Amino acid sequence: MSLQISDKVKTLAAQAQADIRPQFDRIDAIAEENTAKVLAAFQKHRVSEAHFAGTTGYGYDDLGRDTLDLIFAELFHTEDALVRVQFVNGTHAISCALFGALKPGDVLVSAVGAPYDTMLGVIGVVDKGPGSLKSYGIEYRQVDLVDNAPDPAGLAQAVKDPRVKAVLIQRSRGYATRNSLSVEEIGSLAQVVKDNNPHAAVLVDNCYGEFVETIEPTQVGADLVVGSLIKNPGGGLAPTGGYIAGRRDLVEGAAMRLTTPGIGKECGSTFGANRSLYQGLFLAPHTTAQAVKTAVFAARMMELLGYRVDPASDAVRHDIIQMLHFGAPEPLKKFCKGIQFGAPVDSYVTPEPWDMPGYDCQVIMAAGAFIQGASIELSCDAPMREPYTAYLQGGLTYESGKAGVMLAVEELLRTQV
Ligand SMILES: *Cc1c(COP(=O)(O)O)cnc(C)c1O
């Protein structure tokens, strides 16, 4: 029994792999440095079996939970952190961070164009039901991209209003076509905000960016980072959850929103999840590197086939996302189908576009994951709209990610004849 991969695709893959060797050395060096950081934080906080026990009910004095907060704060160089399985996803964590940082009459500014699709309902740009920031009297402004790039001058103008209390910077591109931001670029945007409005908090949607570089946005001026545990920092093992790390008052504000005023970080049982969160974080620098390698391989394969890709296979990476431009719905669907066939779970199903909650057009998603929807596992998704770009990410191991991409290319080529 073996995977059905033609000699043509195998030859192409050998060529791609040879071409991307120099990238792998760079990725390995980053993983090594980040692993050392994580290991040192575990040792400093004397992680032991006792941290994995967990609590039930109210979850008072959950040693594992409280220590993991300290470890995240250590890794992100922040005053405090909030790592919780009670965050249902990344959107929920970002939402709590925003509600914690803003009150009626305040203004939120998005620094790099429209934020991730699901945030539009949270902010109230589109009406997705009651309870948006807008419905609480929080205003929203957006600094649009100029030539598909950040506009520092526009940002400086936008934040001058003293009512601006929070600025959201999204590190990864989401379903936009702009480049993902490097940590350094985030640092300079944060500086623009501080220079023009020292009272505005800089919140970074850090999704897909963790451990791709050796520094994080909170080391270059961001006040808070937020992300999902079923992406990079969960290492593929976290069953659910999200994290927030940053300035103490902002973390506290978010915690009061996640639970309730007066309770904040003190409650929230972990019912056995702590071990997976710790082990996942321990693996996260390595797992993230596997995903980045898979993305680079996919980029090179598609380049060799003549497709436009972003970033290019030889580019320095700032997140785990690979854009593959198909230009038409059919090849995009075929590629996603092939990714699904390459999954360890649900490999026999055919992905179809559907109306996903929180999105304004149909979305196709290929994912055969151990953790439902975990995009640190090999997955490929695309909004079914121009320019029919697929967003490929994840791969728990490079070997399996590579196999998945090869099967996707196989499917793509099959339908072209
Ligand atoms: C994944 C992601 C989110 C959060 O998405 P969830 O599905 O709610 O976890 C937010 N912003 C960006 C840029 C993302 O990639």
Side-chain angles (χ1 to χ4, degrees), residues 364-388:
I364 186 166
M365 295 206 147
F370 293 96
I371 304 291
Q372 193 193 96
S375 42
I376 188 62
E377 301 187 46
L378 183 65
S379 47
C380 189
D381 41 76
M384 295 304 291
R385 64 188 179 210
E386 294 283 351
Y388 295 101

Side-chain angles (χ1 to χ4, degrees), residues 89-91 94 116 170 172 205 207-208 228 231:
N89 54 26
T91 305
I94 301 166
Y116 195 68
Q170 186 179 302
S172 190
D205 173 352
C207 282
Y208 287 135
S228 163
K231 295 179 179 173

Side-chain angles (χ1 to χ4, degrees), residues 262-393:
I263 292 173
K265 294 181 70 181
E266 306 301 318
C267 282
S269 55
T270 51
F271 37 88
N274 279 342
R275 187 187 306 271
S276 304
L277 299 194
Y278 276 87
Q279 198 174 354
L281 177 62
F282 172 70
L283 292 176
H286 176 74
T287 310
T288 301
Q290 301 299 291
V292 175
K293 287 180 177 180
T294 301
V296 171
F297 174 75
R300 189 60 194 147
M301 282 292 271
M302 297 305 282
E303 281 171 355
L304 289 172
L305 287 168
Y307 283 89
R308 279 199 311 119
V309 304
D310 239 311
S313 64
D314 60 355
V316 174
R317 305 271 157 162
H318 307 303
D319 65 6
I320 66 168
I321 306 297
Q322 182 62 50
M323 288 201 294
L324 307 170
H325 302 296
F326 288 95
E330 279 317 305
L332 167 63
K333 279 196 251 178
K334 297 302 173 196
F335 187 90
C336 289
K337 225 163 102 178
I339 288 290
Q340 187 76 39
F341 295 162
V345 180
D346 294 335
S347 62
Y348 53 87
V349 306
T350 302
E352 296 290 348
W354 65 298
D355 297 303
M356 217 180 125
Y359 297 84
D360 70 355
C361 70
Q362 287 205 316
V363 176
I364 186 166
M365 295 206 147
F370 293 96
I371 304 291
Q372 193 193 96
S375 42
I376 188 62
E377 301 187 46
L378 183 65
S379 47
C380 189
D381 41 76
M384 295 304 291
R385 64 188 179 210
E386 294 283 351
Y388 295 101
T389 294
Y391 295 76
L392 177 90
Q393 64 272 317

Side-chain angles (χ1 to χ4, degrees), residues 105-107 141 158-166 196-197 199-200:
D106 290 348
V107 176
R141 289 176 208 154
V159 302
K160 277 203 175 101
D161 180 346
R163 290 195 304 137
V164 173
K165 292 290 162 51
N196 290 278
N197 183 343
H199 301 295

Side-chain angles (χ1 to χ4, degrees), residues 53-90:
T55 49
T56 55
Y58 293 130
Y60 289 126
D61 302 317
D62 189 308
L63 178 69
R65 182 197 66 201
D66 294 344
T67 304
L68 195 58
D69 286 348
L70 298 176
I71 290 173
F72 266 71
E74 188 88 37
L75 292 172
F76 288 99
H77 296 244
T78 57
E79 292 174 357
D80 203 359
L82 178 71
V83 187
R84 290 295 180 279
V85 289
Q86 281 79 15
F87 286 124
V88 302
N89 54 26

Side-chain angles (χ1 to χ4, degrees), residues 58-221:
Y58 293 130
Y60 289 126
D61 302 317
D62 189 308
L63 178 69
R65 182 197 66 201
D66 294 344
T67 304
L68 195 58
D69 286 348
L70 298 176
I71 290 173
F72 266 71
E74 188 88 37
L75 292 172
F76 288 99
H77 296 244
T78 57
E79 292 174 357
D80 203 359
L82 178 71
V83 187
R84 290 295 180 279
V85 289
Q86 281 79 15
F87 286 124
V88 302
N89 54 26
T91 305
H92 184 202
I94 301 166
S95 174
C96 288
L98 292 175
F99 274 102
L102 294 156
K103 56 184 187 337
D106 290 348
V107 176
L108 166 68
V109 167
S110 172
V112 275
Y116 195 68
D117 292 48
T118 57
M119 294 311 301
L120 300 178
V122 173
I123 295 167
V125 179
V126 293
D127 186 7
K128 293 283 179 183
S132 68
L133 289 166
K134 185 178 174 184
S135 75
Y136 283 93
I138 295 162
E139 241 180 82
Y140 171 71
R141 289 176 208 154
Q142 177 174 310
V143 182
D144 285 322
L145 300 168
V146 173
D147 296 329
N148 220 19
D151 172 17
L155 179 61
Q157 267 312 317
V159 302
K160 277 203 175 101
D161 180 346
R163 290 195 304 137
V164 173
K165 292 290 162 51
V167 177
L168 181 64
I169 302 178
Q170 186 179 302
R171 181 167 172 181
S172 190
R173 57 168 52 96
Y175 286 141
T177 55
R178 69 166 170 90
N179 288 336
S180 296
L181 301 176
S182 68
V183 171
E184 196 185 335
E185 286 173 295
I186 292 172
S188 41
L189 293 174
Q191 192 60 51
V192 169
V193 175
K194 298 297 172 189
D195 288 346
N196 290 278
N197 183 343
H199 301 295
V202 174
L203 316 184
V204 174
D205 173 352
N206 209 25
C207 282
Y208 287 135
E210 302 91 350
F211 300 123
V212 174
E213 299 184 40
T214 54
I215 52 168
E216 296 291 340
T218 34
Q219 291 171 260
V220 294

Side-chain angles (χ1 to χ4, degrees), residues 33-45:
E33 192 171 333
N34 284 330
T35 296
K37 253 184 352 196
V38 171
L39 194 54
F42 275 45
Q43 291 169 357
K44 176 175 173 185
H45 291 279

